[in-house]
Amino acid sequence: MLKTMIKSVSALLVLSFLATTGARLGVAGPLELVIGTGGTSSAAFIAGNGISIASVLHAKGIKIYNYGTKGDKDNIKRLTKKKRAINLALVSPKGIAKASEKEKKGMSGLLALGNDKGDTILLVVRNKAPKGVSKQDYNKAIAEVVRLLKDARAAKVIRAEWKALSVSSGDAAFKAAGLRRHKAAM
């Protein structure tokens, strides 16, 4: 736990340094994405920490921030509602299957990241670009998230936090849950 906290604080310090340096140089900063995970003691939250740290170290043009939520139902709600927006969410196939058809239209599947207690953890993405970001830039950012998660160096960083990382397409899980895949994941 202490190791996780130290790494999270280190990642935040690196982010703040990069943000202030970029601001002084007049350079536009990276696109900031928020990943909804789960309770702070959940495997999904730990995976989110690893993804956040890996984005600081190995991503190009994006930074991912981990956001603790109440779980699948809350993640889907925040992913598909305008006022409670997150860009990415870690959910189980059971959570997606319980989502309404309207909610399913507001999100797309990206990857399966691994298992926790026999349940697959899936990464889903909000279909609508954040305010002030073009659809093209948002799609590039999502493609970078997919590249990051498939990168061996980033995987090593994530596995240091969450040992169960095992990135795969998750086609069967997304199909069974009734969720279409995002074009960046294909």
Side-chain angles (χ1 to χ4, degrees), residues 18-104:
L18 293 173
T20 57
T21 304
R24 278 187 262 134
L25 298 174
V27 177
L31 181 60
E32 296 174 349
L33 301 173
V34 178
I35 185 169
T37 54
T40 56
S41 62
S42 71
F45 187 82
I46 295 166
N49 277 344
I51 293 168
S52 180
I53 294 167
S55 75
V56 171
L57 300 173
H58 301 293
K60 298 172 185 154
I62 64 166
K63 297 296 177 226
I64 300 173
Y65 294 93
N66 190 10
Y67 184 76
T69 65
K70 295 177 186 174
D72 288 353
K73 187 175 180 180
D74 191 29
N75 284 344
I76 291 169
K77 189 176 191 180
R78 289 175 185 275
L79 196 68
T80 57
K81 300 275 182 178
K82 186 175 183 178
K83 291 184 180 179
R84 299 175 139 204
I86 58 177
N87 310 100
L88 303 160
L90 297 178
V91 296
S92 70
K94 292 175 191 171
I96 294 172
K98 290 179 183 176
S100 70
E101 289 304 313
K102 183 178 179 182
E103 288 173 326
K104 287 180 183 179

Side-chain angles (χ1 to χ4, degrees), residues 3-176:
K3 183 179 177 182
T4 302
M5 287 177 37
I6 291 170
K7 287 182 180 180
S8 296
V9 170
S10 298
L12 289 174
L13 290 172
V14 169
L15 282 174
S16 64
F17 172 76
L18 293 173
T20 57
T21 304
R24 278 187 262 134
L25 298 174
V27 177
L31 181 60
E32 296 174 349
L33 301 173
V34 178
I35 185 169
T37 54
T40 56
S41 62
S42 71
F45 187 82
I46 295 166
N49 277 344
I51 293 168
S52 180
I53 294 167
S55 75
V56 171
L57 300 173
H58 301 293
K60 298 172 185 154
I62 64 166
K63 297 296 177 226
I64 300 173
Y65 294 93
N66 190 10
Y67 184 76
T69 65
K70 295 177 186 174
D72 288 353
K73 187 175 180 180
D74 191 29
N75 284 344
I76 291 169
K77 189 176 191 180
R78 289 175 185 275
L79 196 68
T80 57
K81 300 275 182 178
K82 186 175 183 178
K83 291 184 180 179
R84 299 175 139 204
I86 58 177
N87 310 100
L88 303 160
L90 297 178
V91 296
S92 70
K94 292 175 191 171
I96 294 172
K98 290 179 183 176
S100 70
E101 289 304 313
K102 183 178 179 182
E103 288 173 326
K104 287 180 183 179
K105 287 181 182 177
M107 60 184 168
S108 298
L110 282 181
L111 299 167
L113 297 182
N115 291 303
D116 178 45
K117 299 176 188 169
D119 213 6
T120 305
I121 295 180
L122 302 172
L123 179 64
V124 295
V125 62
R126 179 184 179 98
N127 287 336
K128 189 174 180 184
K131 190 174 184 177
V133 177
S134 73
K135 190 173 182 177
Q136 182 181 9
D137 288 343
Y138 186 60
N139 286 335
K140 285 180 185 176
I142 299 307
E144 178 61 15
V145 170
V146 172
R147 187 208 62 79
L148 173 73
L149 292 170
K150 291 181 176 181
D151 182 71
R153 295 177 305 151
K156 188 175 180 181
V157 171
I158 299 168
R159 275 195 193 95
E161 294 291 317
W162 184 53
K163 306 268 186 261
L165 179 72
S166 176
V167 178
S168 66
S169 68
D171 283 333
F174 287 119
K175 189 174 184 177

